[in-house]
Amino acid sequence: MSFDLVLFGGTGDLAWRKLMPALFQAFRHGTLPEGGRIIGVGRDDLSDAQYRELIRSRFDNVDLAKRPSPEEFDRFAGLLHFVRMDLTQPQDYARLGATLGERHADTVVMYLATAPDLFTRVCEQLAASGLNRPNTRLVLEKPLGHDLASNREINDAVRRVLDERQIFRIDHYLGKPAVQNLFAMRFGNALFEPVWRREHISNIQITIAEDMGVEKRGAFYDKTGALRDMVQNHALQLLCALAMEPPVNSHADAVRDEKLKVLRSLVRWTPERLDQHVVRGQYAAGNAGGQQVPGYREEPGVDPDSQTETFVALRAEIASWRWAGVPFYIRTGKRLAAREAHILVNFREAPHAIYQAPSGSWNRLVINLQPRDGLQLHLLAQGQENRRNGAVLAPVQLDLDFDKRFGSERVGAYERLLLDVIAGRLNLFVRSDEQEAAWRWVEPIMEYWAADSRGPRPYAAGSWGPSASSAMIARDGFCWAEEC
């Protein structure tokens, strides 16, 4: 199957940091279809040879195991081409059309790795220049808007020129091997389904922690914040995977229909719930990785008086028979004590204790997403005899490390998703009604914060966030992995 993959923003950060390494890995693994071209688009005046040399130099920053040898890159470079374009100029789309017209590829993928405010304009110009053909597929990177209205505006503009089946709204978390194993654990095994409900689960906790600050993205992040950047998309998609009902089959719309039901079942926010169950924070100067680092407001590109949150903790509930009364916790932030993402499923305690056991729930499932990828099942087992009290139970764990089991050369998120786009598989991409439901749920939080003069709570860089978040969730046994 021949394909042309057009990268709008082909010289940008996302292209060389994520997309090109992913495409090279697919090329190295032999999974990238033959007969393909990768066409970078940008405002730079580059020849094909200059573009190839630019991408070659960028691979010096890639992990050593994923770095091509000179011979490998020479073969991969034969796929790379460049078209100079100003995306605001209609006549430049004719230049792209001429390049695509040099052959008639089976599939043309337009990947918009650009600023979101260009999405609508690019789509309109693709239609005006006749490049919105039946074999065209469009990939949209997040953020898709900054609120419900802007999200609808972008989606409406895209749907005016392309069918929904041609639109691939990417959330790279859905391509992570760990998230794939989350679906496999739930729907490929009968072990957990009987207890995957309110009668047996006390609470579920989703943690996405980053140890880095905003780096060079201060100006972008200051207009976005943790709620838009992480909760509205990544965290809610994980929540859907955990809470959705089993789909009737593995087809894209069957899966996405069930995720949509979860989003529509999230209990809506009231002022009282917002005040009690949502915490926002902003990192101050502190020690991270043994080095002193500045606070968020001292980062380049950030407003010195910024009220943007770099940390969010919240308590959500789902109004359904399966999950009524079970709290779902989401916590995410930057400049925290470690880079770590995991899901903690706390099961209820045994209804009647006949053994001496430590207090608290020791039956839990930990789903590690990064940097480790695997499952830990925590149980109680007989550890020692006590002459006075009889058997004493002690915590033990069963540990399954997927990287060790399946090897380190696993398909990365962007590699998987790019191959799915080329093949036309929509399962791991977000439908427009999912996005709208997610925005509808988070928008009251944004409005509440806009009217709240207290602002985000400070926390020291290198810590686990504002202390207030611990008080909010202490009664349900919230803990980070190293505390569990």
Side-chain angles (χ1 to χ4, degrees), residues 352-459:
H352 176 63
I354 61 173
Y355 296 105
Q356 182 180 349
S359 60
S361 173
W362 286 100
N363 291 157
R364 61 179 174 264
L365 176 68
V366 181
I367 305 166
N368 291 308
L369 305 177
Q370 66 180 31
R372 289 187 61 201
D373 175 9
L375 300 175
Q376 293 176 325
L377 184 60
H378 295 247
L379 305 169
L380 289 172
Q382 184 171 326
Q384 60 182 351
E385 291 287 341
N386 184 296
R387 290 182 179 178
R388 178 175 298 178
N389 298 315
V392 177
L393 300 185
V396 296
Q397 69 182 46
L398 305 176
D399 195 344
L400 175 58
D401 188 321
F402 288 133
D403 288 330
K404 291 180 180 178
R405 173 61 182 83
F406 298 113
S408 59
E409 274 296 307
R410 302 173 68 196
V411 177
Y414 273 103
E415 181 182 351
R416 176 186 296 275
L417 294 172
L418 285 164
L419 291 174
D420 279 359
V421 175
I422 295 170
R425 295 187 290 263
L426 282 158
N427 297 57
L428 301 181
F429 296 86
V430 182
R431 209 166 55 192
S432 62
D433 50 4
E434 286 182 75
Q435 284 190 328
E436 290 189 9
W439 277 116
R440 193 175 293 111
W441 189 71
V442 302
E443 207 165 52
I445 305 175
M446 294 156 45
E447 294 170 352
Y448 181 75
W449 286 346
D452 183 5
S453 61
R454 292 172 295 180
R457 303 169 189 262
Y459 63 96

Side-chain angles (χ1 to χ4, degrees), residues 182-479:
L182 173 57
F183 283 103
M185 181 199 74
R186 284 207 57 200
F187 306 129
N189 301 281
L191 178 64
F192 289 108
E193 175 57 26
V195 296
W196 207 257
R197 57 193 65 247
R198 63 183 303 275
E199 292 85 359
H200 302 284
I201 291 179
S202 172
N203 61 80
I204 295 180
Q205 304 167 15
I206 300 170
T207 293
I208 306 174
E210 299 178 83
D211 56 356
M212 306 294 287
V214 294
E215 304 306 304
K216 299 177 181 180
R217 301 168 68 236
F220 162 78
Y221 195 89
D222 207 34
K223 298 177 182 178
T224 307
L227 186 71
R228 292 183 177 96
D229 191 44
M230 298 298 292
V231 176
Q232 185 271 336
N233 40 72
H234 302 328
L236 284 184
Q237 285 294 319
L238 291 176
L239 185 148
C240 287
L242 289 161
M244 64 187 279
E245 295 296 321
V248 295
N249 54 46
S250 61
H251 297 165
D253 279 333
V255 174
R256 298 192 292 185
D257 285 346
E258 297 302 334
K259 289 196 293 176
L260 179 61
K261 291 177 185 177
V262 174
L263 292 168
R264 288 177 172 171
S265 299
L266 286 168
V267 175
R268 302 302 173 193
W269 296 107
T270 64
E272 294 75 22
R273 293 190 67 246
L274 285 164
D275 192 54
Q276 295 177 16
H277 299 315
V278 182
V279 174
R280 58 172 166 160
Q282 185 186 90
Y283 67 82
N287 188 293
Q291 295 183 337
Q292 285 296 121
V293 295
Y296 175 72
R297 295 180 183 179
E298 287 80 52
E299 299 279 17
V302 174
D303 183 345
D305 298 317
S306 175
Q307 297 297 302
T308 299
E309 78 286 353
T310 62
F311 174 96
V312 178
L314 60 84
R315 182 184 192 272
E317 291 187 30
I318 298 172
S320 71
W321 277 45
R322 183 186 288 264
W323 296 114
V326 177
F328 284 74
Y329 294 105
I330 293 172
R331 183 156 62 170
T332 183
K334 288 188 174 293
R335 279 290 185 219
L336 296 176
R339 175 179 176 267
E340 182 171 310
H342 68 268
I343 297 163
L344 180 64
V345 181
N346 275 322
F347 293 96
R348 298 190 185 278
E349 295 183 2
H352 176 63
I354 61 173
Y355 296 105
Q356 182 180 349
S359 60
S361 173
W362 286 100
N363 291 157
R364 61 179 174 264
L365 176 68
V366 181
I367 305 166
N368 291 308
L369 305 177
Q370 66 180 31
R372 289 187 61 201
D373 175 9
L375 300 175
Q376 293 176 325
L377 184 60
H378 295 247
L379 305 169
L380 289 172
Q382 184 171 326
Q384 60 182 351
E385 291 287 341
N386 184 296
R387 290 182 179 178
R388 178 175 298 178
N389 298 315
V392 177
L393 300 185
V396 296
Q397 69 182 46
L398 305 176
D399 195 344
L400 175 58
D401 188 321
F402 288 133
D403 288 330
K404 291 180 180 178
R405 173 61 182 83
F406 298 113
S408 59
E409 274 296 307
R410 302 173 68 196
V411 177
Y414 273 103
E415 181 182 351
R416 176 186 296 275
L417 294 172
L418 285 164
L419 291 174
D420 279 359
V421 175
I422 295 170
R425 295 187 290 263
L426 282 158
N427 297 57
L428 301 181
F429 296 86
V430 182
R431 209 166 55 192
S432 62
D433 50 4
E434 286 182 75
Q435 284 190 328
E436 290 189 9
W439 277 116
R440 193 175 293 111
W441 189 71
V442 302
E443 207 165 52
I445 305 175
M446 294 156 45
E447 294 170 352
Y448 181 75
W449 286 346
D452 183 5
S453 61
R454 292 172 295 180
R457 303 169 189 262
Y459 63 96
S463 69
W464 284 117
S467 58
S469 65
S470 300
M472 178 186 73
I473 51 188
R475 64 183 181 277
D476 292 314
F478 190 101
C479 63

Side-chain angles (χ1 to χ4, degrees), residues 79-97:
L79 279 63
L80 303 181
H81 305 268
F82 189 79
V83 175
R84 182 177 179 272
M85 285 183 66
D86 181 341
L87 299 183
T88 66
Q89 299 301 314
Q91 62 270 21
D92 282 7
Y93 289 82
R95 185 179 297 116
L96 175 61

